[in-house]
């Protein structure tokens, strides 16, 4: 009899300990997701504030910007000369619809300098008959062009089978690797072009870029799931370890 009582107490202690650990872990994960949401909201506010700043002349920047909040998504203008031989078409990209196409990226050498910035020029549809055919995009070599856009990191990477890619059509663009192809210093950030090139004819590219996403709602959703799991464990413990035994004893 004493052994049975001791065994029940041991099992109850183990269940209580496991429940407390589970509640503590899930509650901590929920709070962590709320903290991440608060950080993302602060980042979103910073991005909106960046967008209200006057355009930065990249030609006057002595040191290339880096991918930090102080620089990213700030409006900018740049003057330079296209390097059309260093144009890359990023495959399997979409813009305002499910139709597959390319993001067109071209190296631009800054006026009066040796360094290069990669310009995300826009989107163009892919040839549905020959997927290896790249569209013609007007890229005048000798003209000095003025571009308006915003500072941004390189395009998001998609899954690719090979570690390194070359050629006009690629899945992703690695700026470090691309600098070896260009044989010039390449900035660690890109310019997302938002206005047509001046001077020059229309290039036929779409530039309805989506706003930078910080996924705040995702973190709130994860926090809800963790807190719900926390409440579920607490409720199950109260029911099976406290309320149900009392009802059975009172029956």
């Amino acid at each position: 009899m004493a052994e049975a009582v001791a065994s029940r107490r041991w099992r109850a202690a183990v269940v209580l300990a496991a429940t407390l650990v589970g509640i503590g872990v899930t509650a901590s994960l929920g709070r962590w997701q709320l903290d991440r949401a608060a950080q993302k909201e602060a980042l979103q506010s910073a991005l909106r504030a960046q967008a209200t700043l006057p355009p930065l002349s990249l030609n006057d920047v002595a040191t290339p910007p880096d991918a930090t909040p102080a620089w990213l998504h700030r409006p900018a203008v740049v003057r330079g000369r296209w390097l059309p031989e260093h144009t890359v078409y990023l495959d399997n990209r979409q813009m305002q619809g499910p139709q597959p196409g390319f993001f067109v990226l071209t190296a631009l050498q800054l006026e009066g300098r040796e360094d290069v910035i990669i310009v995300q020029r826009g989107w163009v549809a892919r040839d549905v008959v020959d997927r290896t055919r790249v569209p013609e995009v007007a890229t005048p070599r000798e003209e000095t062009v003025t571009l308006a856009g915003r500072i941004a990191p390189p395009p998001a990477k998609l899954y690719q089978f090979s570690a390194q890619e070359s050629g006009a059509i690629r899945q992703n663009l690695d700026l470090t690797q691309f600098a070896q192809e260009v044989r010039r210093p390449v900035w660690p950030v890109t310019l997302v072009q938002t206005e047509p090139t001046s001077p020059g004819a229309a290039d036929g590219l779409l530039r309805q870029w989506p706003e930078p996403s910080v996924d705040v709602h995702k973190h709130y959703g994860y926090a809800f799931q963790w807190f719900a799991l926390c409440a579920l464990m607490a409720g199950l413990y109260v029911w099976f370890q406290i309320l149900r035994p009392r009802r059975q004893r009172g029956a």
Side-chain angles (χ1 to χ4, degrees), residues 160-167 169-173 177 181:
Q160 65 185 55
F161 293 98
S162 59
Q164 292 187 346
E165 293 183 294
S166 60
I169 299 178
R170 309 187 190 188
Q171 195 77 352
N172 301 295
L173 182 67
Q177 174 192 345
E181 301 178 31

Side-chain angles (χ1 to χ4, degrees), residues 167-197:
I169 299 178
R170 309 187 190 188
Q171 195 77 352
N172 301 295
L173 182 67
D174 183 275
L175 294 185
T176 302
Q177 174 192 345
F178 198 58
Q180 299 175 1
E181 301 178 31
V182 178
R183 297 184 179 180
R184 293 175 176 85
V186 174
W187 285 23
V189 294
T190 67
L191 180 73
V192 173
Q193 184 179 350
T194 56
E195 297 180 10
T197 302

Side-chain angles (χ1 to χ4, degrees):
M1 185 70 175
E3 292 182 356
V5 172
S7 177
R8 286 197 298 271
R9 289 179 177 175
W10 171 252
R11 287 198 298 269
V14 170
V15 171
L16 176 60
T19 302
L20 292 176
V21 170
I23 291 175
V25 169
T26 52
S28 296
L29 290 171
R31 289 195 300 270
W32 178 73
Q33 289 293 342
L34 290 180
D35 289 340
R36 290 289 294 157
Q39 295 172 13
K40 291 293 185 68
E41 286 180 335
L43 175 60
Q44 192 171 53
S45 298
L47 294 180
R48 290 171 179 169
Q50 287 285 82
T52 63
L53 295 175
L56 174 69
S57 175
L58 298 184
N59 296 81
D60 299 332
V61 175
T63 303
D66 53 20
T68 59
W71 293 101
L72 291 181
H73 309 295
R74 177 171 179 174
V77 293
V78 63
R79 286 177 57 83
R81 184 173 58 86
W82 291 120
L83 303 178
E85 67 274 17
H86 297 298
T87 296
V88 172
Y89 298 80
L90 295 188
D91 201 1
N92 297 313
R93 308 287 172 152
Q94 297 177 350
M95 182 175 289
Q96 289 194 333
Q99 183 180 6
F102 302 102
F103 280 174
V104 181
L105 280 65
T106 303
L108 181 84
Q109 183 173 348
L110 278 70
E111 185 181 41
R113 300 170 59 157
E114 288 296 320
D115 45 351
V116 167
I117 185 170
I118 305 303
V119 180
Q120 299 188 49
R121 302 174 60 186
W123 180 90
V124 65
R126 187 174 63 197
D127 191 319
V128 295
V129 177
D130 184 2
R131 60 181 297 120
T132 64
R133 180 182 178 185
V134 295
E136 293 289 339
V137 178
T139 310
R141 176 187 295 273
E142 300 301 330
E143 294 183 5
T144 298
V145 297
T146 300
L147 306 178
R150 57 180 171 83
I151 301 172
K157 289 189 175 183
L158 304 181
Y159 179 79
Q160 65 185 55
F161 293 98
S162 59
Q164 292 187 346
E165 293 183 294
S166 60
I169 299 178
R170 309 187 190 188
Q171 195 77 352
N172 301 295
L173 182 67
D174 183 275
L175 294 185
T176 302
Q177 174 192 345
F178 198 58
Q180 299 175 1
E181 301 178 31
V182 178
R183 297 184 179 180
R184 293 175 176 85
V186 174
W187 285 23
V189 294
T190 67
L191 180 73
V192 173
Q193 184 179 350
T194 56
E195 297 180 10
T197 302
S198 175
D203 50 25
L205 299 174
L206 293 181
R207 298 189 180 90
Q208 284 75 40
W209 303 102
E211 292 185 1
S213 175
V214 293
D215 297 328
V216 174
H217 298 293
K218 176 185 68 176
H219 294 288
Y220 281 122
Y222 289 156
F224 174 80
Q225 293 176 8
W226 286 120
F227 286 133
L229 183 58
C230 177
L232 177 62
M233 287 189 290
L236 291 175
Y237 178 84
V238 170
W239 170 252
F240 285 104
Q241 299 298 316
I242 299 176
L243 298 180
R244 186 179 180 185
R246 288 181 179 177
R247 294 183 62 181
Q248 290 176 343
R249 287 196 298 267

